[in-house]
Amino acid sequence: MTDRFAPPSSTAPALTSGIPEDGTAPCPAGTQNWCGGTYRSIVDKLDYIQGMGFDAIWISAFVENIDTMTAYGAAYHGYWVEDTTQLNPRFGDKADLLALSAELHKRGMFLMVDIVVNHVVANPAPTVQEMIDLNPDLLWRKVEQYHPRCPMDYGNTTSVEVCWMGDDKLPLADVNTENVEVIQTLQTWIHDFVTEFGVDGLRIDAAKHVRPEYWQPFCASAGVFCIGEVYGSDIAEAASFQSLNYMDSVLNFPTYYGAAAAFFNRPDAPLNMSNLVDIHSQVQKAFPDVGLLGSFLGNHDLPRYHGLQVDPRTAWNALVWQFMSDGIPTVFYGDEQEIGGGDLQGRGDPYNRPALWTSESGNYDVTKGTYVNIQRLNQVRKFLIATDGQRDGKTFLHNNVDFLEWNDNDLAFRKGPVLVFLTNRGSPSVQASIGVSSTGWKGSVVNILECNVYNIGSNSSIMVSWSAAGAGGKPYVFMSYDDAAATGICPNV
Ligand code: ABC
Ligand code: CA
């Protein structure tokens, strides 16, 4: 989230109105105004991102937004688009965005941008014509370029596609994505934009709110990886975006809900690992390629999991699940600093979007537990991916998670060359263990998370227990001894 991720940069002049003058100005959680982050600020903090091992960033929506106060504050998040074809001057100018793109590519990293096509936001008016007349900056200036206003019924597909999001205080005017002029303008724009700025991927906002056939030619025109936001637990709906070739991929909301149930569900519901196994098994059947799905434990709309009274070891298990299972892991800025924000009813916005440069947000601490855990997991992934073609019949990228043993608390799964053991039992030691036989391994293997060496038992079996003092609730990622040695991660291996 460009406005919130990094403080106003000393390398760029700060905009004035309503923006704190420097990075020390208070911008506490819940602020619905500009905090002043820009593309230059992101450049300043790329070492911090790359230090965790990430090789891509996803920046929030970047086009011209309504720039007056609304019933829900200012458009710091970028989703209240007026004109898709113009850059939002709040985040810098063309040269700044080009500089961000160039700096990423210089580092061998990629740029994904958030695209909002479905709606525009304007000062509300009784009719569409009046809305257009009142708001000279709107790109779409003809009544027929909008769908007639209707309240959205989330249970009805047509309504989801053509009705208006938002509410009476701030309606999100639904663009008529059947209108030929709209279709052509947007296709030309995305092609030119991606080309000019060297964009590598698109995160498509509100993808299910546009008739899905719209996206194939749009993404073809962009010519880059497209990943859609299909918010909800409906597996068939999400999978159709990939199976019917509307776009390459979607953010994996269904498995997110499974992971939430397994690792950090609300305190009123017991944690349930079996639910994750059940949901993700269905996801594997429904999607042609789960390896391309975006996996996540939170985003700018969801409550922060570190705020949900999750045991820290259980949160670590959730992270291991995300990074060692199917898909492309994405991490919402600040989760690496273990910040909270959001409520127990599933609401995140606006408390989940603090400025990261305040002391309550951790101030880019590179020794923070989750920062370091992500670093380790990315190191392991990078090794596995770089050597992926070298193991007969076992690939980390192309073998889907194979669930081996599980109950409501514990899970053992294989993904290509690694064997993972997880639990949601939490930090206190308990009499519990889980084992797998016929692993195909002999001799010893290594838990790459902590560099401890384990002996393989008879029957090629391996077992972990959470009963020893200090061992409560820990995750395990086993690799063959040779693989572990080749990672260079463990001085003792
Ligand atoms: C503002 C204020 C809020 C206020 C709200 C009314 O207005 O900030 O405090 O409550 C942007 C801004 C927001 C802003 C909104 C509206 O615009 O970021 O701050 O909220 O003005 C995307 C983006 C999101 C963005 C928009 C709009 C779209 O990620 O940041 O919001 O450009 C729906 C949409 C989804 C959208 C999301 C916010 O709303 O589908 O595209 N996200 C159900 C529905 C979902 C729905 C979701 C949340 O609720 O199926 O379609 O998402 O409302 C599961 C069920 C699910 C269910 C979930 C909650 O529970 O299986 O179906 O999802 O168990
Ligand atoms: Ca729509």
Side-chain angles (χ1 to χ4, degrees):
M1 194 159 261
T2 303
D3 183 60
R4 303 297 167 90
F5 169 64
S9 175
S10 55
T11 64
L15 285 165
T16 41
S17 67
I19 302 184
E21 283 301 300
D22 60 48
T24 59
C27 197
T31 301
Q32 289 185 301
N33 202 346
W34 302 92
C35 294
T38 66
Y39 306 130
R40 296 276 173 187
S41 322
I42 299 174
V43 170
D44 292 346
K45 290 279 180 239
L46 282 181
D47 285 348
Y48 172 80
I49 298 177
Q50 215 176 7
M52 274 178 281
F54 288 113
D55 47 23
I57 66 167
W58 149 17
I59 59 167
S60 52
F62 55 91
V63 302
E64 190 182 291
N65 270 225
I66 183 171
D67 205 353
T68 55
M69 272 296 161
T70 74
Y72 298 107
Y76 67 91
H77 43 67
Y79 288 107
W80 294 338
V81 174
E82 281 181 335
D83 185 347
T84 314
T85 64
Q86 306 295 317
L87 291 181
N88 188 339
R90 290 280 183 175
F91 304 134
D93 60 15
K94 208 168 132 168
D96 296 327
L97 186 51
L98 283 168
L100 172 60
S101 175
E103 181 59 32
L104 285 163
H105 294 146
K106 199 175 98 192
R107 292 164 179 257
M109 297 174 75
F110 298 105
L111 174 62
M112 180 161 90
V113 299
D114 207 320
I115 297 286
V116 188
V117 163
N118 177 64
H119 50 267
V120 295
V121 175
N123 291 305
T127 66
V128 171
Q129 185 63 60
E130 286 164 276
M131 177 187 81
I132 295 169
D133 293 344
L134 249 174
N135 295 278
D137 292 330
L138 284 176
L139 169 65
W140 310 117
R141 306 221 53 83
K142 297 175 184 160
V143 172
E144 67 267 24
Q145 290 171 335
Y146 296 89
H147 286 137
R149 183 166 176 181
C150 46
M152 190 168 293
D153 169 2
Y154 278 95
N156 174 301
T157 305
T158 307
S159 173
V160 164
E161 288 171 11
V162 304
C163 289
W164 290 27
M165 277 203 276
D167 57 18
D168 286 344
K169 287 190 263 181
L170 191 66
L172 275 49
D174 204 69
V175 174
N176 179 1
T177 39
E178 287 70 66
N179 179 280
V180 175
E181 209 180 334
V182 167
I183 293 173
Q184 284 171 356
T185 304
L186 289 172
Q187 281 181 19
T188 306
W189 163 71
I190 197 64
H191 174 269
D192 294 350
F193 175 77
V194 161
T195 310
E196 181 172 10
F197 291 94
V199 170
D200 303 295
L202 306 181
R203 181 269 189 186
I204 308 235
D205 186 57
K208 71 176 183 182
H209 296 282
V210 174
R211 87 194 138 84
E213 299 78 15
Y214 171 88
W215 297 116
Q216 198 280 330
F218 179 86
C219 288
S221 183
V224 293
F225 180 67
C226 276
I227 185 166
E229 181 217 16
V230 183
Y231 194 143
S233 50
D234 188 329
I235 296 171
E237 180 183 44
S240 70
F241 280 74
Q242 197 184 53
S243 60
L244 299 177
N245 292 315
Y246 300 140
M247 53 181 71
D248 302 303
S249 174
V250 296
L251 290 155
N252 190 350
F253 276 90
T255 297
Y256 161 77
Y257 288 115
F263 301 110
F264 44 87
N265 219 350
R266 326 291 172 237
D268 50 333
L271 297 177
N272 185 345
M273 194 72 86
S274 309
N275 196 4
L276 170 61
V277 175
D278 178 35
I279 290 176
H280 193 67
S281 302
Q282 291 180 51
V283 165
Q284 288 179 327
K285 289 197 191 83
F287 284 89
D289 189 351
V290 287
L292 290 180
L293 302 183
S295 65
F296 57 94
L297 299 176
N299 66 27
H300 55 290
D301 295 330
L302 295 165
R304 297 268 186 180
Y305 67 97
H306 286 288
L308 294 176
Q309 297 162 325
V310 180
D311 179 283
R313 291 240 168 117
T314 301
W316 186 15
N317 280 266
L319 195 70
V320 173
W321 160 257
Q322 188 200 355
F323 277 73
M324 289 293 125
S325 66
D326 307 320
I328 306 169
T330 71
V331 169
F332 186 36
Y333 84 95
D335 282 352
E336 76 285 1
Q337 293 297 334
E338 302 170 12
I339 60 179
D343 63 26
L344 300 175
Q345 282 70 51
R347 233 186 95 112
D349 165 22
Y351 296 97
N352 59 1
R353 306 166 175 185
L356 198 53
W357 55 91
T358 63
S359 50
E360 63 171 355
S361 295
N363 230 342
Y364 313 97
D365 178 0
V366 298
T367 65
K368 194 81 181 175
T370 298
Y371 185 99
V372 173
N373 288 337
I374 290 173
Q375 203 169 44
R376 170 63 53 95
L377 289 164
N378 270 331
Q379 257 178 314
V380 173
R381 284 181 63 91
K382 281 214 168 96
F383 167 79
L384 291 170
I385 291 167
T387 55
D388 207 30
Q390 300 169 13
R391 294 174 202 86
D392 269 355
K394 284 200 171 66
T395 117
F396 182 72
L397 285 179
H398 301 291
N399 291 151
N400 292 343
V401 163
D402 183 8
F403 293 113
L404 302 174
E405 297 286 338
W406 66 93
N407 55 52
D408 284 354
N409 297 114
D410 317 309
L411 169 63
F413 71 86
R414 177 177 278 290
K415 182 158 169 75
V418 294
L419 193 56
V420 180
F421 291 82
L422 302 176
T423 185
N424 59 21
R425 293 176 189 269
S427 307
S429 301
V430 284
Q431 289 299 328
S433 62
I434 188 165
V436 171
S437 55
S438 310
T439 62
W441 279 325
K442 299 194 277 282
S444 49
V445 294
V446 178
N447 169 24
I448 198 70
L449 297 179
E450 298 193 274
C451 292
N452 30 31
V453 179
Y454 273 65
N455 291 327
I456 294 292
S458 58
N459 239 345
S460 191
S461 64
I462 185 161
M463 185 178 198
V464 302
S465 146
W466 289 287
S467 54
K474 285 188 171 182
Y476 295 82
V477 175
F478 289 106
M479 301 174 102
S480 73
Y481 194 92
D482 288 349
D483 273 347
T487 63
I489 291 173
C490 303
N492 58 322
V493 174

